[in-house]
Amino acid sequence: MGPSGGTTQRALPEPAFLEALCLERKRAERSRRLFVLMALHLAEPLENRDGANVLAKSAGAISAAIRDTDIPGWYEQHSAFAVIFTELGAADRKSVLSALREKVTTTLRSTLRTDELPHVHLSFQCFPEDWQDHETALPALAQLYPDLAQRDRGKTMARLTKRAMDLLGSSLGLLALSPLLLGIALAVKVSSPGPVLFRQRRIGQYGVPFTFLKFRSMHAVNDSAIHKEYIKRLIAGDVQADASEASDTVVYKITEDPRVTRVGRFLRRTSLDELPQLLNVLRGEMSLVGPRPPIPYEVDSYDLWHRRRVLEVKPGITGLWQVNGRSKLPFDDMVRLDLAYAETWSPWLDVKILLRTPRAVVSRDGAY
């Protein structure tokens, strides 16, 4: 239910509030300044009239207590009241959240009756979100990214079609390529000691981690510090592009990685090491087309706007980056391609990218 009386005149209607939230998030991506989204809703059912009164009283009291720079509004189809707390200074997020919770709770205690307080539930979400704990600290997509949630709801049929394509394509691919898969597995096993498949924790859509599969292309015992340091410098733009030996083409990738085996080098150049990801697609963790899923330590080095590449669509085996030069592109350009795909994807675009992929693989353009 929406506002009543004059106590909540400051509160924006839901469409305007969601627009303000998206705008504040985009500003924070540039400024890196923390903001907090507080949502208040009724945690337990009340009679419609009583619930409306409690929500209206709470919204009025909080609206009167917050600063002029904070943005109050109606939320979740007018069943909740929310505030965007901006301009929070340089204090750490734990202190900010504690102070805001204390302020709002004190306001509610002085406004609501004792029997009304247990029905009120408060939630606080910080932006930027804390992604350091990749196992449990998932981004609050529905709250902080309402534009993405709305976009998903508007593409229900397209998403069903995309999933059907993924199921059909991965099933047929695994069946048709089974002799090749067996041959590669034997080559990997014979060429160096260790498992055939390389399993690695990657970050999927909405920040959900999953086990990513590849044919092992490196020695079983190796030091990932080389790659960690390179990725950190690549994302920061501190990497000098290498020139390939066959041409003057620049490559943003480790071209002479001492950890890679002889068979592994061939698999990487032909992209055959990626074939086990058909199992990830079959399980729904990936799609045939989408951004490449990052390693957790890669996400740790992301700028705020980079994070959207793992929020907006499911990761894929191939995508716009792969068919537009792969490692020839700087990291920021790769992210821009991923975001362009996220904004414009459709089953037909997926088909066009899939049709362009064999040519990119055969040409080995940007593959190392």
Side-chain angles (χ1 to χ4, degrees):
M1 182 173 290
S4 61
T7 57
T8 55
Q9 288 180 354
R10 280 189 61 197
L12 296 174
E14 184 168 5
F17 181 76
L18 295 181
E19 185 176 346
L21 174 57
C22 294
L23 181 60
E24 191 63 33
R25 195 189 69 227
K26 290 174 183 177
R27 283 176 179 160
E29 285 181 349
R30 298 189 192 95
S31 68
R32 296 177 175 81
R33 290 183 179 178
L34 179 77
F35 76 84
V36 173
L37 172 66
M38 182 218 75
L40 180 152
H41 64 271
L42 301 182
E44 298 178 22
L46 287 169
E47 293 292 332
N48 288 341
R49 195 169 186 177
D50 291 339
N53 288 336
V54 170
L55 195 57
K57 282 196 296 183
S58 302
I62 294 173
S63 294
I66 60 178
R67 305 164 303 169
D68 291 339
T69 53
D70 300 325
I71 306 169
W74 294 97
Y75 198 52
E76 294 180 0
Q77 299 179 348
H78 281 194
S79 66
F81 174 75
V83 178
I84 304 168
F85 291 97
T86 64
E87 302 296 331
L88 296 173
D92 66 277
R93 68 176 61 224
K94 201 171 272 189
S95 300
V96 167
L97 287 174
S98 178
L100 289 177
R101 184 176 291 277
E102 179 62 27
K103 179 178 181 179
V104 173
T105 302
T106 301
T107 300
L108 292 176
R109 283 174 180 162
S110 65
T111 304
L112 301 179
R113 299 193 313 265
T114 305
D115 62 316
E116 292 174 332
L117 282 170
H119 297 280
V120 174
H121 177 75
L122 294 172
S123 66
F124 294 83
Q125 297 290 342
C126 284
F127 186 91
E129 316 98 302
D130 184 4
W131 282 23
Q132 295 303 309
D133 184 354
H134 301 289
E135 297 298 325
T136 59
L138 304 182
L141 182 79
Q143 290 190 314
L144 291 172
Y145 298 85
D147 47 336
L148 302 189
Q150 288 173 352
R151 185 193 300 171
D152 277 351
R153 286 194 292 269
K155 288 189 170 185
T156 301
M157 186 54 66
R159 285 190 290 110
L160 291 174
T161 303
K162 183 179 179 69
R163 182 56 185 152
M165 291 170 55
D166 287 342
L167 286 171
L168 182 63
S170 58
S171 300
L172 292 178
L174 288 168
L175 185 63
L177 297 173
S178 54
L180 177 61
L181 295 171
L182 180 59
I184 295 174
L186 289 173
V188 171
K189 192 67 177 175
V190 170
S191 64
S192 65
V196 168
L197 291 179
F198 173 67
R199 293 174 170 84
Q200 187 178 52
R201 209 66 169 155
R202 295 286 182 108
I203 303 300
Q205 190 178 15
Y206 310 148
V208 179
F210 71 99
T211 301
F212 175 84
L213 301 175
K214 294 178 74 171
F215 280 121
R216 182 173 57 83
S217 59
M218 297 184 293
H219 296 286
V221 179
N222 62 76
D223 185 1
S224 63
I226 297 174
H227 189 254
K228 284 183 181 180
E229 179 59 27
Y230 184 85
I231 285 293
K232 187 176 181 179
R233 291 189 293 112
L234 175 67
I235 294 173
D238 293 335
V239 170
Q240 293 292 329
D242 295 328
S244 72
E245 297 177 1
S247 67
D248 293 331
T249 302
V250 295
V251 178
Y252 292 89
K253 193 168 184 178
I254 303 175
T255 56
E256 297 296 334
D257 193 334
R259 302 171 301 163
V260 179
T261 65
R262 185 189 304 178
V263 169
R265 194 169 301 281
F266 171 77
L267 294 178
R268 288 189 173 196
R269 289 188 65 87
T270 56
S271 299
L272 291 174
D273 60 326
E274 311 286 356
L275 290 179
Q277 288 151 47
L278 291 170
L279 290 170
N280 290 121
V281 174
L282 192 62
R283 296 196 300 230
E285 298 158 336
M286 294 177 62
S287 176
L288 292 174
V289 181
R292 295 298 290 160
I295 306 168
Y297 62 71
E298 179 182 334
V299 175
D300 291 342
S301 297
Y302 275 4
D303 201 346
L304 293 181
W305 71 278
H306 294 153
R307 293 179 173 186
R308 298 209 318 269
R309 69 181 295 271
V310 297
L311 288 173
E312 304 203 7
V313 287
K314 191 177 290 188
I317 297 178
T318 186
L320 281 178
W321 173 67
Q322 287 87 337
V323 299
N324 282 281
R326 287 194 275 187
S327 301
K328 293 195 303 183
L329 301 175
F331 183 80
D332 282 358
D333 287 349
M334 181 200 76
V335 175
R336 291 186 183 100
L337 282 175
D338 288 340
L339 296 181
Y341 170 78
E343 291 177 3
T344 61
W345 78 265
S346 66
W348 176 235
L349 178 59
D350 281 8
V351 169
K352 290 195 287 188
I353 292 173
L354 287 169
L355 291 175
R356 290 178 60 188
T357 298
R359 179 180 178 183
V361 171
V362 170
S363 69
R364 302 179 183 180
D365 196 16
Y368 284 85

